[in-house]
Amino acid sequence: MNEKQTIQCLILGSGPAGYTAAIYAARAELKPVLYTGAQPGGQLTITTEVENYPGYPNGVQGPEMMEDFKKQAERFNTDIRYGLATKVDFSKRPFKVTIDDTTDVYAETVIISTGASAKWLGLPSEQRLNGHGVSACAVCDGFFFRGQEVAIVGGGDTACEEASYLAKLCKKVYMLVRRDEMRASKIMQQRVLNNPNIQVLFNHETLEILGDDHVTGVRVKDHKTGEEKTIAVSGFFVAIGHKPNTEIFKGWLDMDENGYIITKPGTTQTNIPGVFAAGDAQDKIYRQAITAAGTGCMAALEAERFLAAQEAGV
Ligand code: NDP
């Protein structure tokens, strides 16, 4: 099925970046069409309380906040549609985007705000206790564990950064690294190893996260000695990497080795004029709702300017 009418501003994704882009584009009368993607509302719909988004002095539940974002986008008549972009053709404008493998839509500008997904260990206990002591975001949830003992799994820069963050709040942080060395940059490793609140356990594999309705501990195996033991913790953080949801743009857009879309510094412009990227799809460093929203705003303003320049023939 083809939709003949060309969309001026097509937004892919419904997290803070996508909805913010929609609010700005709609108010600029670009009549944006937003496709929600596979997880309407994005990553915040799987978190609990959000306390660091300005404007909510008493905090807000992640799903509720995304409902607010959606309502604000709808208020200005954003055309919100359920569907996942499965293929793109950016060879010429209007760009062609295929939704759910079945519908082709055409757009003069595309804002990619497809986000990223946290990687998980894949343990049933991790899934069961997600949001009940298990989290993939220390900056979001660390505060709830202040003064307590927690564990974090991972050995990359994210795990080091998050372990250091948690060490400021928590009584003790156990860092579970599966190999005998970390992947993180040397400086980040040193920061962790020198921190008296962090105990790094090399060669440790997570076997199970313990607890009925809240995390009470973690069962680990030391691969060097073969010993299995339980560590009592009330929080378990997973920091084994994120995967940007950018697979369908491969071959069209410049990306780094991890699949994050590369934008021109200080802008949301990709290597294809008229295609913009906002939020976690292009941000592996900050990954916050507020930074995603900020880049969503930038993308809409840039799309508006791009369309105005096309119209003026410049
Ligand atoms: P990385 O892919 O760099 O690291 C993932 C870590 O998790 C590795 O130590 C890996 O172990 C471990 N891991 C993966 N799967 C499992 C598993 N199933 N069980 C246990 N451990 C596992 O991801 P990051 O999110 O840390 O970083 C992504 C990118 O972002 C990197 O390029 C990083 O440099 C960058 N970054 C930069 C920052 C900065 O500059 N301030 C901050 C944060 C990220 P193994 O090594 O054995 O594979």
Side-chain angles (χ1 to χ4, degrees):
M1 193 176 100
N2 285 342
E3 187 181 285
K4 289 280 179 289
Q5 204 182 0
T6 302
I7 297 161
Q8 289 194 73
C9 180
L10 174 67
I11 300 167
L12 305 177
S14 55
Y19 279 135
T20 305
I23 293 163
Y24 275 77
R27 294 187 77 253
E29 300 193 327
L30 301 185
K31 299 188 176 56
V33 172
L34 179 149
Y35 278 94
T36 58
Q39 189 177 22
Q43 292 181 80
L44 278 167
T45 58
I46 52 160
T47 57
T48 49
E49 200 167 3
V50 180
E51 290 187 326
N52 54 8
Y53 198 90
Y56 291 101
N58 301 316
V60 59
Q61 294 293 310
E64 191 187 327
M65 182 166 119
M66 292 323 298
E67 210 32 59
D68 285 347
F69 270 71
K70 181 170 177 247
K71 279 188 203 144
Q72 197 169 347
E74 279 171 337
R75 188 181 147 204
F76 301 109
N77 298 323
T78 303
D79 182 349
I80 297 171
R81 303 176 184 177
Y82 291 93
L84 177 71
T86 46
K87 198 174 165 202
V88 296
D89 181 348
F90 287 160
S91 58
K92 58 176 189 299
R93 279 193 309 120
F95 304 117
K96 182 165 101 171
V97 176
T98 307
I99 307 294
D100 293 333
D101 291 319
T102 51
T103 308
D104 292 335
V105 294
Y106 294 86
E108 289 295 336
T109 62
V110 178
I111 295 176
I112 297 167
S113 44
T114 47
S117 308
K119 291 185 192 161
W120 297 96
L121 294 173
L123 300 170
S125 51
E126 171 189 58
Q127 212 176 354
R128 185 170 54 80
L129 291 163
N130 196 341
H132 302 276
V134 172
S135 164
C137 179
V139 179
C140 320
D141 298 327
F143 189 70
F144 304 116
F145 300 92
R146 56 197 187 281
Q148 302 172 36
E149 303 207 350
V150 299
I152 183 163
V153 60
D157 280 332
T158 302
C160 288
E161 202 165 75
E162 301 212 331
S164 303
Y165 179 85
L166 290 168
K168 280 188 251 156
L169 300 166
C170 303
K171 196 157 85 183
K172 177 154 191 178
V173 179
Y174 294 94
M175 186 165 170
L176 307 169
V177 179
R178 68 176 171 185
R179 289 187 291 130
D180 58 358
E181 60 174 3
M182 292 187 220
R183 182 186 290 266
S185 53
K186 285 280 172 287
I187 184 164
M188 301 287 266
Q189 292 192 28
Q190 275 316 316
R191 217 169 280 169
V192 161
L193 293 167
N194 292 338
N195 192 318
N197 276 5
I198 303 174
Q199 184 178 348
V200 182
L201 300 170
F202 287 102
N203 299 302
H204 274 67
E205 184 195 348
T206 307
L207 299 177
E208 194 187 354
I209 302 152
L210 308 170
D212 291 332
D213 46 18
H214 207 279
V215 171
T216 55
V218 55
R219 186 120 193 100
V220 294
K221 179 172 184 173
D222 182 337
H223 275 297
K224 225 162 196 167
T225 62
E227 183 202 359
E228 286 185 22
K229 65 180 174 200
T230 297
I231 306 171
V233 287
S234 49
F236 184 84
F237 290 86
V238 181
I240 60 172
H242 280 78
K243 200 177 165 331
N245 304 318
T246 56
E247 201 65 38
I248 61 165
F249 309 110
K250 277 197 179 130
W252 295 105
L253 301 183
D254 293 343
M255 296 180 188
D256 72 7
E257 69 281 7
N258 295 313
Y260 288 92
I261 297 169
I262 295 172
T263 51
K264 210 165 122 195
T267 78
T268 61
Q269 294 162 27
T270 68
N271 54 302
I272 297 185
V275 178
F276 305 89
D280 288 11
Q282 53 85 54
D283 171 20
K284 66 180 176 197
I285 308 284
Y286 303 105
R287 294 197 291 247
Q288 300 302 298
I290 187 71
T291 48
T295 52
C297 158
M298 286 165 65
L301 294 176
E302 287 179 90
E304 185 189 353
R305 279 173 206 156
F306 176 85
L307 289 166
Q310 295 296 316
E311 207 164 296
V314 287

PDB file of all heavy atoms in Angstrom, residues 270-297:
ATOM      1  N   THR A 270      22.296  14.669   9.618  1.00  0.00           N
ATOM      2  CA  THR A 270      23.056  13.482   9.222  1.00  0.00           C
ATOM      3  C   THR A 270      23.776  13.811   7.915  1.00  0.00           C
ATOM      4  O   THR A 270      23.732  14.947   7.440  1.00  0.00           O
ATOM      5  CB  THR A 270      22.112  12.283   8.996  1.00  0.00           C
ATOM      6  OG1 THR A 270      21.311  12.569   7.834  1.00  0.00           O
ATOM      7  CG2 THR A 270      21.203  12.050  10.203  1.00  0.00           C
ATOM      8  N   ASN A 271      24.388  12.802   7.322  1.00  0.00           N
ATOM      9  CA  ASN A 271      25.083  13.020   6.046  1.00  0.00           C
ATOM     10  C   ASN A 271      24.109  13.217   4.884  1.00  0.00           C
ATOM     11  O   ASN A 271      24.524  13.594   3.793  1.00  0.00           O
ATOM     12  CB  ASN A 271      26.040  11.858   5.738  1.00  0.00           C
ATOM     13  CG  ASN A 271      25.347  10.513   5.790  1.00  0.00           C
ATOM     14  OD1 ASN A 271      24.770  10.142   6.803  1.00  0.00           O
ATOM     15  ND2 ASN A 271      25.370   9.785   4.693  1.00  0.00           N
ATOM     16  N   ILE A 272      22.814  12.959   5.118  1.00  0.00           N
ATOM     17  CA  ILE A 272      21.830  13.183   4.055  1.00  0.00           C
ATOM     18  C   ILE A 272      21.011  14.430   4.387  1.00  0.00           C
ATOM     19  O   ILE A 272      20.275  14.434   5.398  1.00  0.00           O
ATOM     20  CB  ILE A 272      20.911  11.958   3.857  1.00  0.00           C
ATOM     21  CG1 ILE A 272      21.774  10.771   3.419  1.00  0.00           C
ATOM     22  CG2 ILE A 272      19.805  12.249   2.849  1.00  0.00           C
ATOM     23  CD1 ILE A 272      21.013   9.520   3.076  1.00  0.00           C
ATOM     24  N   PRO A 273      21.113  15.471   3.567  1.00  0.00           N
ATOM     25  CA  PRO A 273      20.336  16.684   3.857  1.00  0.00           C
ATOM     26  C   PRO A 273      18.845  16.364   3.906  1.00  0.00           C
ATOM     27  O   PRO A 273      18.317  15.680   3.022  1.00  0.00           O
ATOM     28  CB  PRO A 273      20.667  17.604   2.663  1.00  0.00           C
ATOM     29  CG  PRO A 273      21.988  17.096   2.140  1.00  0.00           C
ATOM     30  CD  PRO A 273      21.974  15.607   2.378  1.00  0.00           C
ATOM     31  N   GLY A 274      18.195  16.824   4.975  1.00  0.00           N
ATOM     32  CA  GLY A 274      16.765  16.538   5.129  1.00  0.00           C
ATOM     33  C   GLY A 274      16.490  15.380   6.078  1.00  0.00           C
ATOM     34  O   GLY A 274      15.353  15.159   6.471  1.00  0.00           O
ATOM     35  N   VAL A 275      17.538  14.645   6.427  1.00  0.00           N
ATOM     36  CA  VAL A 275      17.371  13.561   7.409  1.00  0.00           C
ATOM     37  C   VAL A 275      18.113  13.970   8.684  1.00  0.00           C
ATOM     38  O   VAL A 275      19.307  14.297   8.628  1.00  0.00           O
ATOM     39  CB  VAL A 275      17.932  12.213   6.884  1.00  0.00           C
ATOM     40  CG1 VAL A 275      17.799  11.128   7.950  1.00  0.00           C
ATOM     41  CG2 VAL A 275      17.209  11.798   5.610  1.00  0.00           C
ATOM     42  N   PHE A 276      17.379  13.968   9.778  1.00  0.00           N
ATOM     43  CA  PHE A 276      17.937  14.421  11.055  1.00  0.00           C
ATOM     44  C   PHE A 276      17.853  13.287  12.074  1.00  0.00           C
ATOM     45  O   PHE A 276      16.984  12.430  11.971  1.00  0.00           O
ATOM     46  CB  PHE A 276      17.150  15.647  11.553  1.00  0.00           C
ATOM     47  CG  PHE A 276      17.099  16.753  10.535  1.00  0.00           C
ATOM     48  CD1 PHE A 276      16.071  16.805   9.582  1.00  0.00           C
ATOM     49  CD2 PHE A 276      18.096  17.708  10.481  1.00  0.00           C
ATOM     50  CE1 PHE A 276      16.041  17.800   8.618  1.00  0.00           C
ATOM     51  CE2 PHE A 276      18.080  18.716   9.517  1.00  0.00           C
ATOM     52  CZ  PHE A 276      17.051  18.756   8.586  1.00  0.00           C
ATOM     53  N   ALA A 277      18.770  13.309  13.031  1.00  0.00           N
ATOM     54  CA  ALA A 277      18.751  12.262  14.063  1.00  0.00           C
ATOM     55  C   ALA A 277      18.804  12.905  15.439  1.00  0.00           C
ATOM     56  O   ALA A 277      19.603  13.810  15.684  1.00  0.00           O
ATOM     57  CB  ALA A 277      19.922  11.309  13.877  1.00  0.00           C
ATOM     58  N   ALA A 278      17.926  12.434  16.318  1.00  0.00           N
ATOM     59  CA  ALA A 278      17.828  13.008  17.664  1.00  0.00           C
ATOM     60  C   ALA A 278      17.729  11.882  18.693  1.00  0.00           C
ATOM     61  O   ALA A 278      17.361  10.756  18.360  1.00  0.00           O
ATOM     62  CB  ALA A 278      16.578  13.888  17.738  1.00  0.00           C
ATOM     63  N   GLY A 279      18.065  12.218  19.928  1.00  0.00           N
ATOM     64  CA  GLY A 279      17.908  11.250  21.016  1.00  0.00           C
ATOM     65  C   GLY A 279      18.965  10.157  21.001  1.00  0.00           C
ATOM     66  O   GLY A 279      20.036  10.299  20.409  1.00  0.00           O
ATOM     67  N   ASP A 280      18.629   9.048  21.635  1.00  0.00           N
ATOM     68  CA  ASP A 280      19.628   8.004  21.861  1.00  0.00           C
ATOM     69  C   ASP A 280      20.149   7.337  20.583  1.00  0.00           C
ATOM     70  O   ASP A 280      21.199   6.704  20.620  1.00  0.00           O
ATOM     71  CB  ASP A 280      19.060   6.907  22.785  1.00  0.00           C
ATOM     72  CG  ASP A 280      18.938   7.391  24.218  1.00  0.00           C
ATOM     73  OD1 ASP A 280      19.082   8.605  24.442  1.00  0.00           O
ATOM     74  OD2 ASP A 280      18.695   6.559  25.114  1.00  0.00           O
ATOM     75  N   ALA A 281      19.433   7.475  19.493  1.00  0.00           N
ATOM     76  CA  ALA A 281      19.906   6.877  18.235  1.00  0.00           C
ATOM     77  C   ALA A 281      21.226   7.513  17.801  1.00  0.00           C
ATOM     78  O   ALA A 281      21.980   6.932  17.027  1.00  0.00           O
ATOM     79  CB  ALA A 281      18.859   7.049  17.139  1.00  0.00           C
ATOM     80  N   GLN A 282      21.492   8.725  18.329  1.00  0.00           N
ATOM     81  CA  GLN A 282      22.736   9.408  17.973  1.00  0.00           C
ATOM     82  C   GLN A 282      23.537   9.824  19.214  1.00  0.00           C
ATOM     83  O   GLN A 282      24.492  10.578  19.110  1.00  0.00           O
ATOM     84  CB  GLN A 282      22.440  10.628  17.087  1.00  0.00           C
ATOM     85  CG  GLN A 282      21.412  11.610  17.641  1.00  0.00           C
ATOM     86  CD  GLN A 282      21.963  12.649  18.596  1.00  0.00           C
ATOM     87  OE1 GLN A 282      22.907  13.348  18.262  1.00  0.00           O
ATOM     88  NE2 GLN A 282      21.374  12.750  19.794  1.00  0.00           N
ATOM     89  N   ASP A 283      23.152   9.333  20.380  1.00  0.00           N
ATOM     90  CA  ASP A 283      23.827   9.782  21.609  1.00  0.00           C
ATOM     91  C   ASP A 283      24.197   8.607  22.492  1.00  0.00           C
ATOM     92  O   ASP A 283      23.342   8.013  23.141  1.00  0.00           O
ATOM     93  CB  ASP A 283      22.890  10.735  22.377  1.00  0.00           C
ATOM     94  CG  ASP A 283      23.412  11.078  23.758  1.00  0.00           C
ATOM     95  OD1 ASP A 283      24.625  10.919  24.001  1.00  0.00           O
ATOM     96  OD2 ASP A 283      22.602  11.505  24.605  1.00  0.00           O
ATOM     97  N   LYS A 284      25.476   8.273  22.519  1.00  0.00           N
ATOM     98  CA  LYS A 284      25.869   7.160  23.380  1.00  0.00           C
ATOM     99  C   LYS A 284      26.434   7.648  24.711  1.00  0.00           C
ATOM    100  O   LYS A 284      26.773   6.860  25.565  1.00  0.00           O
ATOM    101  CB  LYS A 284      26.891   6.280  22.676  1.00  0.00           C
ATOM    102  CG  LYS A 284      28.218   6.949  22.424  1.00  0.00           C
ATOM    103  CD  LYS A 284      29.155   6.001  21.723  1.00  0.00           C
ATOM    104  CE  LYS A 284      30.441   6.706  21.377  1.00  0.00           C
ATOM    105  NZ  LYS A 284      31.199   6.004  20.377  1.00  0.00           N
ATOM    106  N   ILE A 285      26.533   8.951  24.858  1.00  0.00           N
ATOM    107  CA  ILE A 285      27.173   9.480  26.066  1.00  0.00           C
ATOM    108  C   ILE A 285      26.147   9.851  27.149  1.00  0.00           C
ATOM    109  O   ILE A 285      26.216   9.363  28.264  1.00  0.00           O
ATOM    110  CB  ILE A 285      28.026  10.738  25.747  1.00  0.00           C
ATOM    111  CG1 ILE A 285      29.004  10.446  24.604  1.00  0.00           C
ATOM    112  CG2 ILE A 285      28.751  11.240  27.005  1.00  0.00           C
ATOM    113  CD1 ILE A 285      30.208   9.630  24.962  1.00  0.00           C
ATOM    114  N   TYR A 286      25.189  10.709  26.819  1.00  0.00           N
ATOM    115  CA  TYR A 286      24.313  11.255  27.871  1.00  0.00           C
ATOM    116  C   TYR A 286      23.081  10.390  28.096  1.00  0.00           C
ATOM    117  O   TYR A 286      22.735  10.096  29.237  1.00  0.00           O
ATOM    118  CB  TYR A 286      23.923  12.698  27.529  1.00  0.00           C
ATOM    119  CG  TYR A 286      25.131  13.577  27.336  1.00  0.00           C
ATOM    120  CD1 TYR A 286      25.540  13.974  26.064  1.00  0.00           C
ATOM    121  CD2 TYR A 286      25.898  13.965  28.423  1.00  0.00           C
ATOM    122  CE1 TYR A 286      26.666  14.759  25.882  1.00  0.00           C
ATOM    123  CE2 TYR A 286      27.024  14.746  28.250  1.00  0.00           C
ATOM    124  CZ  TYR A 286      27.407  15.142  26.978  1.00  0.00           C
ATOM    125  OH  TYR A 286      28.528  15.903  26.808  1.00  0.00           O
ATOM    126  N   ARG A 287      22.369  10.075  27.011  1.00  0.00           N
ATOM    127  CA  ARG A 287      21.228   9.144  27.058  1.00  0.00           C
ATOM    128  C   ARG A 287      20.178   9.494  28.102  1.00  0.00           C
ATOM    129  O   ARG A 287      19.616   8.610  28.742  1.00  0.00           O
ATOM    130  CB  ARG A 287      21.735   7.722  27.311  1.00  0.00           C
ATOM    131  CG  ARG A 287      22.563   7.162  26.181  1.00  0.00           C
ATOM    132  CD  ARG A 287      22.678   5.672  26.275  1.00  0.00           C
ATOM    133  NE  ARG A 287      23.472   5.272  27.388  1.00  0.00           N
ATOM    134  CZ  ARG A 287      24.654   4.670  27.293  1.00  0.00           C
ATOM    135  NH1 ARG A 287      25.140   4.396  26.107  1.00  0.00           N
ATOM    136  NH2 ARG A 287      25.313   4.326  28.344  1.00  0.00           N
ATOM    137  N   GLN A 288      19.925  10.762  28.300  1.00  0.00           N
ATOM    138  CA  GLN A 288      18.921  11.176  29.275  1.00  0.00           C
ATOM    139  C   GLN A 288      17.666  11.649  28.547  1.00  0.00           C
ATOM    140  O   GLN A 288      17.728  12.096  27.398  1.00  0.00           O
ATOM    141  CB  GLN A 288      19.462  12.320  30.142  1.00  0.00           C
ATOM    142  CG  GLN A 288      20.702  11.942  30.927  1.00  0.00           C
ATOM    143  CD  GLN A 288      20.438  10.753  31.843  1.00  0.00           C
ATOM    144  OE1 GLN A 288      19.607  10.818  32.741  1.00  0.00           O
ATOM    145  NE2 GLN A 288      21.134   9.656  31.603  1.00  0.00           N
ATOM    146  N   ALA A 289      16.523  11.585  29.236  1.00  0.00           N
ATOM    147  CA  ALA A 289      15.276  12.042  28.617  1.00  0.00           C
ATOM    148  C   ALA A 289      15.396  13.513  28.235  1.00  0.00           C
ATOM    149  O   ALA A 289      14.953  13.930  27.156  1.00  0.00           O
ATOM    150  CB  ALA A 289      14.118  11.838  29.591  1.00  0.00           C
ATOM    151  N   ILE A 290      16.009  14.282  29.097  1.00  0.00           N
ATOM    152  CA  ILE A 290      16.084  15.725  28.846  1.00  0.00           C
ATOM    153  C   ILE A 290      17.020  16.044  27.668  1.00  0.00           C
ATOM    154  O   ILE A 290      16.734  16.948  26.883  1.00  0.00           O
ATOM    155  CB  ILE A 290      16.500  16.489  30.142  1.00  0.00           C
ATOM    156  CG1 ILE A 290      16.425  17.997  29.959  1.00  0.00           C
ATOM    157  CG2 ILE A 290      17.874  16.097  30.637  1.00  0.00           C
ATOM    158  CD1 ILE A 290      15.053  18.542  29.875  1.00  0.00           C
ATOM    159  N   THR A 291      18.090  15.292  27.524  1.00  0.00           N
ATOM    160  CA  THR A 291      18.977  15.550  26.380  1.00  0.00           C
ATOM    161  C   THR A 291      18.307  15.066  25.086  1.00  0.00           C
ATOM    162  O   THR A 291      18.449  15.681  24.035  1.00  0.00           O
ATOM    163  CB  THR A 291      20.357  14.883  26.557  1.00  0.00           C
ATOM    164  OG1 THR A 291      20.170  13.531  26.958  1.00  0.00           O
ATOM    165  CG2 THR A 291      21.198  15.607  27.592  1.00  0.00           C
ATOM    166  N   ALA A 292      17.569  13.968  25.191  1.00  0.00           N
ATOM    167  CA  ALA A 292      16.833  13.481  24.018  1.00  0.00           C
ATOM    168  C   ALA A 292      15.808  14.520  23.584  1.00  0.00           C
ATOM    169  O   ALA A 292      15.686  14.851  22.397  1.00  0.00           O
ATOM    170  CB  ALA A 292      16.165  12.147  24.327  1.00  0.00           C
ATOM    171  N   ALA A 293      15.078  15.057  24.566  1.00  0.00           N
ATOM    172  CA  ALA A 293      14.070  16.075  24.250  1.00  0.00           C
ATOM    173  C   ALA A 293      14.753  17.283  23.609  1.00  0.00           C
ATOM    174  O   ALA A 293      14.254  17.846  22.626  1.00  0.00           O
ATOM    175  CB  ALA A 293      13.318  16.475  25.515  1.00  0.00           C
ATOM    176  N   GLY A 294      15.893  17.668  24.136  1.00  0.00           N
ATOM    177  CA  GLY A 294      16.621  18.820  23.596  1.00  0.00           C
ATOM    178  C   GLY A 294      17.004  18.620  22.140  1.00  0.00           C
ATOM    179  O   GLY A 294      16.806  19.516  21.300  1.00  0.00           O
ATOM    180  N   THR A 295      17.498  17.434  21.824  1.00  0.00           N
ATOM    181  CA  THR A 295      17.889  17.204  20.428  1.00  0.00           C
ATOM    182  C   THR A 295      16.660  17.024  19.531  1.00  0.00           C
ATOM    183  O   THR A 295      16.704  17.321  18.339  1.00  0.00           O
ATOM    184  CB  THR A 295      18.849  16.000  20.288  1.00  0.00           C
ATOM    185  OG1 THR A 295      18.274  14.868  20.941  1.00  0.00           O
ATOM    186  CG2 THR A 295      20.218  16.306  20.896  1.00  0.00           C
ATOM    187  N   GLY A 296      15.555  16.554  20.111  1.00  0.00           N
ATOM    188  CA  GLY A 296      14.300  16.456  19.343  1.00  0.00           C
ATOM    189  C   GLY A 296      13.848  17.848  18.916  1.00  0.00           C
ATOM    190  O   GLY A 296      13.425  18.070  17.770  1.00  0.00           O
ATOM    191  N   CYS A 297      13.961  18.793  19.830  1.00  0.00           N
ATOM    192  CA  CYS A 297      13.622  20.194  19.529  1.00  0.00           C
ATOM    193  C   CYS A 297      14.540  20.707  18.421  1.00  0.00           C
ATOM    194  O   CYS A 297      14.075  21.311  17.444  1.00  0.00           O
ATOM    195  CB  CYS A 297      13.771  21.014  20.813  1.00  0.00           C
ATOM    196  SG  CYS A 297      14.006  22.757  20.538  1.00  0.00           S
TER     197      CYS A 297
END
